[in-house]
Amino acid sequence: MTLLAIDSREAPRRRLFKAEDRPLVSAGLYLALALCIALPLTLMFLWSVADGWQPPSIFPQSFTTSRWIHILGDENLVAALLTSLFIAFTVTILTALIAMPTAWAMGRFPFRLKRLVEIFILAPVIIPGLVVAVGVGKVFLLLGLAYSVAGVIIVQIVGTLPLMIRLMSATFETIPDELIHAARSLGAGTASIVLHVILPLSVPGLLAGGLMSFIGSFEEFDKSFIVGAPVIQTLPIKLYMYLDPYSMQLPLAAIVSFILLLPALIVFIIAGRIMRDDLMAAGMGKI
Amino acid sequence: MMSELEIRNLTKHYGETRVLHPVSLSVERGEFVTILGPSGCGKSTLLRILMGISEASGGEIHLAGKRLDLAPPEARDIAMVFQSYALFPHMSVAKNLGFGLKMKNVPKDERAKRIAHVVDICNLHGLLDRMPRQLSGGQQQRVALARAVVMQPSLLLFDEPLSNLDAKLRDSLRHDLVALHRRIGTTSLYVTHDQAEAMAMSDRIVVMNAGRIVEIGTPLELYRSPRHVFTAQFLGQTNLLTVEASGTGGRLPWGQVITLDRPATGTAQVSLRPENIAIIADENGVATVSSVAFLGATLFYTMEIGTLSLKVSQAGGVDPLSVGTRVSFDLAGPVHLLDHLPMAEAA
Ligand SMILES: Nc1ncnc2c1ncn2[C@@H]1O[C@H](COP(=O)(O)OP(=O)(O)O)[C@@H](O)[C@H]1O
Ligand SMILES: [Mg+2]
């Protein structure tokens, strides 16, 4: 009887999302978006062009573009950007390639100690990049990988791999066995199954993991700094050099953040476009 | 002369657990055979072995005179229709239908011709450009069927293909399937736990239980004269009774003397179908109606005779007798004697 009473009290609370709720819900979502993204971006922009901004005033007293001109005028910046892009692309592709087999095993086969292996795979996320880099740096010196692009790529993959494995194994888990059996019974060999069934259905996971890896690599500082600097100058390394510990940080930091944020935004917008495409979205649909 | 499909002493075990005890079965060319059994009896396991997804622990399979169990799954001339449809969600209906043909390197114009043909026989007009998620359950199942049929395999396998559909759709697809089989004539092995489906569709039914084949026969044979208690109970409803037999005569527990359909001596078991018992209200009758259910076309009674209760059915056209009515009854024709088996196996 008590159970029934609770049930009947709870029931009216559950209520369907109706068409007239739409303006309210979207207003809320847009507000959240504004608070989380637009507001910080605006503040950052204001800081980057402020020429003196004292606490009581809401807007900067005067503006200057000199800092932007100074930083953007640095021709090494373009070189650093290209290095960073190259490294980010390579890291993303290698991460995907390395993650696939592990993720497949994790996602498709039940085995003992699976939880333990999962924790083990995620361990690099817990350990600070600095610790990893210092440890790895020593080995890299011996192997001749220190101060090389290859070294930076390898040390960054340590950071991007766990998330990619996690995302891909979650994606592989959602592919039903019967789909693979159906493909096989229709005459598809292993290569065809991977190419025509598994890869297309993994696109959402690959895209998500790829984005995370790309941005993770593009913005990575501490590991790249220890393994690569000063020979290898990635964009973050280059930009962080502008920060001057003996003066006001905010205006320069704002510019640095802006430049580092830009590719992430571009990549997310592109991804959003692709995900909206029917073909890709189908991978996430139910069977 | 070898049958189209020959399964000989097939076994399967996972570690210590035996899932298939030696199973032997032959299916003639063009035959529609149903494997009927409760959930977990090993039906899917058998199909998976036929498909090559799972490996048998022992035994041999021959299809069209060739050893089947030695070929890899993609080289077997078999197509399967799955319970979950297993359509490729990222491919249009047309691409789903063409997938197997493409994998088997069928030339493009031949491909188009065969797809056009199955679209016709499976009634998929206008659906070719849709994605699977834009189809209803019934449409998805027809596409899954077409995707198997377009391969023109030597053997079609079905693993409970209708069990995810609602009752009405299931009925209409069942008819479509029978009509399709009549038209294409492909040897088919159909798995289900639904006895009505098995009865309606099959040339022969293979009754399975706990990894063993219990009995094989036509729907009529298995329904009218099952040998095993399990078959009698699994196909339709029945009353299982013990009789004291001598020759073709038998005495029921409440003393009534009946005719058996074959001679026996000593204690034996009979299966008495509810529709073979005719009841009429009778003040001096030996039985009492204890429940009535009106199912439209039939009236379903339970009646008590002493400590026993009997199921009785009657055409639904008459007025139902009310609970508590005393009745007497007649048995239509001789009563069917089951093979002598311990009662325990009936469970
Ligand atoms: N991989 C497996 N390991 C152990 N037991 C299994 C495995 N697959 C199936 N079984 C067992 O085999 C039996 C038959 O399963 P299945 O063929 O799927 O039955 P059905 O299709 O008749 O419902 C079940 O009892 C099931 O638990
Ligand atoms: Mg099954």
Side-chain angles (χ1 to χ4, degrees):
Chain A
M1 274 323 277
T2 30
L3 267 176
L4 272 177
I6 289 168
D7 264 347
S8 58
R9 227 182 322 128
E10 294 263 308
R13 273 209 214 154
R14 259 180 268 128
R15 130 175 210 286
L16 288 174
F17 180 80
K18 294 204 192 79
E20 54 261 36
D21 299 337
R22 204 173 288 258
L24 209 65
V25 171
S26 40
L29 287 174
Y30 277 116
L31 188 70
L33 197 69
L35 281 175
C36 295
I37 295 178
L39 186 66
L41 277 179
T42 315
L43 282 177
M44 260 165 58
F45 182 72
L46 285 176
W47 266 116
S48 73
V49 294
D51 193 13
W53 189 357
Q54 299 307 321
S57 51
I58 290 175
F59 281 100
Q61 283 88 2
S62 58
F63 298 94
T64 173
T65 52
S66 65
R67 280 187 297 261
W68 273 103
I69 290 168
H70 172 64
I71 289 184
L72 291 181
D74 186 342
E75 62 237 34
N76 288 336
L77 203 66
V78 177
L81 175 69
L82 291 178
T83 310
S84 267
L85 282 176
F86 171 74
I87 291 176
F89 273 116
T90 316
V91 165
T92 305
I93 290 164
L94 288 179
T95 304
L97 287 180
I98 298 169
M100 292 270 204
T102 316
W104 182 255
M106 298 287 300
R108 307 291 305 180
F109 306 112
F111 55 90
R112 272 190 301 165
L113 306 179
K114 189 163 172 164
R115 291 280 154 240
L116 203 69
V117 175
E118 261 169 20
I119 290 170
F120 196 68
I121 286 173
L122 284 176
V125 177
I126 306 161
I127 300 165
L130 216 58
V131 177
V132 174
V134 171
V136 167
K138 184 84 182 158
V139 181
F140 278 13
L141 271 174
L142 289 174
L143 296 175
L145 282 168
Y147 312 119
S148 70
V149 171
V152 172
I153 289 173
I154 292 172
V155 82
Q156 285 192 356
I157 289 176
V158 174
T160 53
L161 205 50
L163 198 61
M164 184 68 121
I165 292 178
R166 197 85 191 98
L167 279 168
M168 289 313 294
S169 68
T171 308
F172 287 148
E173 250 172 67
T174 63
I175 301 178
D177 279 342
E178 295 203 331
L179 223 50
I180 291 162
H181 296 162
R184 178 140 282 159
S185 75
L186 289 167
T190 306
S192 300
I193 289 175
V194 170
L195 192 67
H196 297 295
V197 181
I198 294 165
L199 276 182
L201 291 178
S202 310
V203 165
L206 268 176
L207 214 57
L211 283 179
M212 292 301 178
S213 302
F214 188 87
I215 289 161
S217 158
F218 196 83
E219 295 180 341
E220 208 281 330
F221 173 71
D222 37 6
K223 293 196 286 284
S224 313
F225 184 70
I226 289 176
V227 171
V231 181
I232 308 301
Q233 297 260 331
T234 64
L235 196 62
I237 293 175
K238 182 81 198 149
L239 288 170
Y240 281 31
M241 301 285 190
Y242 282 108
L243 299 180
D244 169 7
Y246 301 108
S247 69
M248 184 66 174
Q249 301 276 358
L250 272 171
L252 274 174
I255 295 180
V256 168
S257 322
F258 238 103
I259 298 176
L260 286 179
L261 202 63
L262 215 59
L265 279 180
I266 293 172
V267 167
F268 264 105
I269 290 166
I270 294 171
R273 275 283 140 81
I274 298 175
M275 290 290 260
R276 226 172 283 163
D277 189 343
D278 250 17
L279 208 88
M280 304 296 181
M284 309 214 281
K286 286 183 296 184
I287 318 289
Chain B
M1 183 59 201
M2 213 185 216
S3 306
E4 179 76 354
L5 174 68
E6 288 247 4
I7 299 172
R8 290 186 201 146
N9 296 320
L10 202 68
T11 57
K12 174 76 186 173
H13 42 81
Y14 292 105
E16 289 295 294
T17 33
R18 281 190 158 261
V19 176
L20 291 181
H21 295 266
V23 163
S24 299
L25 171 67
S26 15
V27 178
E28 300 305 323
R29 190 187 196 114
E31 212 179 3
F32 194 109
V33 170
T34 298
I35 299 178
L36 174 68
S39 195
C41 73
K43 307 181 297 286
S44 295
T45 305
L46 180 60
L47 289 197
R48 291 158 70 89
I49 292 172
L50 284 172
M51 262 213 302
I53 288 159
S54 180
E55 213 174 318
S57 307
E60 283 181 21
I61 309 166
H62 298 257
L63 179 65
K66 288 195 287 276
R67 259 310 266 277
L68 182 76
D69 45 333
L70 303 178
E74 60 267 28
R76 298 182 181 196
D77 194 13
I78 288 179
M80 169 113 165
V81 182
F82 294 86
Q83 179 176 8
S84 64
Y85 319 139
L87 296 177
F88 304 119
H90 58 295
M91 296 182 197
S92 65
V93 170
K95 290 234 172 71
N96 264 285
L97 296 183
F99 183 81
L101 299 176
K102 214 162 137 186
M103 290 298 120
K104 300 232 157 153
N105 295 318
V106 175
K108 206 164 177 182
D109 44 341
E110 164 81 7
R111 226 149 68 195
K113 222 166 32 191
R114 273 160 73 168
I115 290 175
H117 184 235
V118 288
V119 163
D120 211 36
I121 56 178
C122 295
N123 194 17
L124 298 173
H125 302 280
L127 300 181
L128 279 181
D129 295 324
R130 301 250 196 113
M131 298 304 277
R133 79 197 126 83
Q134 297 169 315
L135 302 174
S136 69
Q139 289 171 331
Q140 289 191 34
Q141 194 51 284
R142 291 214 307 272
V143 173
L145 179 64
R147 187 179 66 178
V149 167
V150 80
M151 301 304 291
Q152 300 178 354
S154 303
L155 178 64
L156 265 175
L157 302 178
F158 299 85
D159 194 354
E160 314 208 14
L162 305 183
S163 58
N164 282 349
L165 302 169
D166 60 67
K168 210 160 191 142
L169 205 53
R170 201 156 51 208
D171 269 4
S172 90
L173 266 167
R174 189 200 282 168
H175 282 115
D176 292 351
L177 246 168
V178 172
L180 179 79
H181 178 257
R182 204 169 297 137
R183 183 157 171 186
I184 61 174
T186 310
T187 313
S188 302
L189 200 56
Y190 187 101
V191 156
T192 182
H193 64 263
D194 180 342
Q195 50 95 18
E197 213 167 280
M199 301 269 284
M201 299 174 78
S202 329
D203 294 324
R204 279 191 304 152
I205 298 175
V206 177
V207 181
M208 251 184 103
N209 187 30
R212 286 190 170 84
I213 291 181
V214 177
E215 199 166 350
I216 304 177
T218 65
L220 211 67
E221 285 164 2
L222 292 186
Y223 188 81
R224 292 217 178 133
S225 43
R227 293 179 49 223
H228 293 261
V229 172
F230 181 82
T231 314
Q233 281 187 318
F234 205 76
L235 270 89
Q237 305 253 17
T238 198
N239 298 294
L240 292 176
L241 299 165
T242 39
V243 291
E244 286 306 321
S246 70
T248 55
R251 180 186 293 274
L252 287 170
W254 56 89
Q256 186 173 356
V257 173
I258 52 165
T259 317
L260 299 174
D261 61 354
R262 61 201 162 99
T265 44
T267 307
Q269 212 167 21
V270 294
S271 153
L272 188 54
R273 295 284 182 196
E275 66 271 23
N276 291 337
I277 305 176
I279 54 174
I280 38 163
D282 179 357
E283 300 263 318
N284 307 316
V286 288
T288 318
V289 173
S290 61
S291 79
V292 190
F294 178 62
L295 305 176
T298 48
L299 264 165
F300 211 86
Y301 298 99
T302 324
M303 58 179 194
E304 310 285 337
I305 307 172
T307 57
L308 290 166
S309 76
L310 284 188
K311 290 174 254 183
V312 178
S313 71
Q314 204 176 46
V318 298
D319 285 337
L321 300 171
S322 50
V323 173
T325 314
R326 284 200 83 78
V327 289
S328 63
F329 56 91
D330 266 331
L331 304 182
V335 176
H336 177 63
L337 186 80
L338 296 167
D339 276 12
H340 187 78
L341 280 172
M343 258 310 212
E345 286 207 16

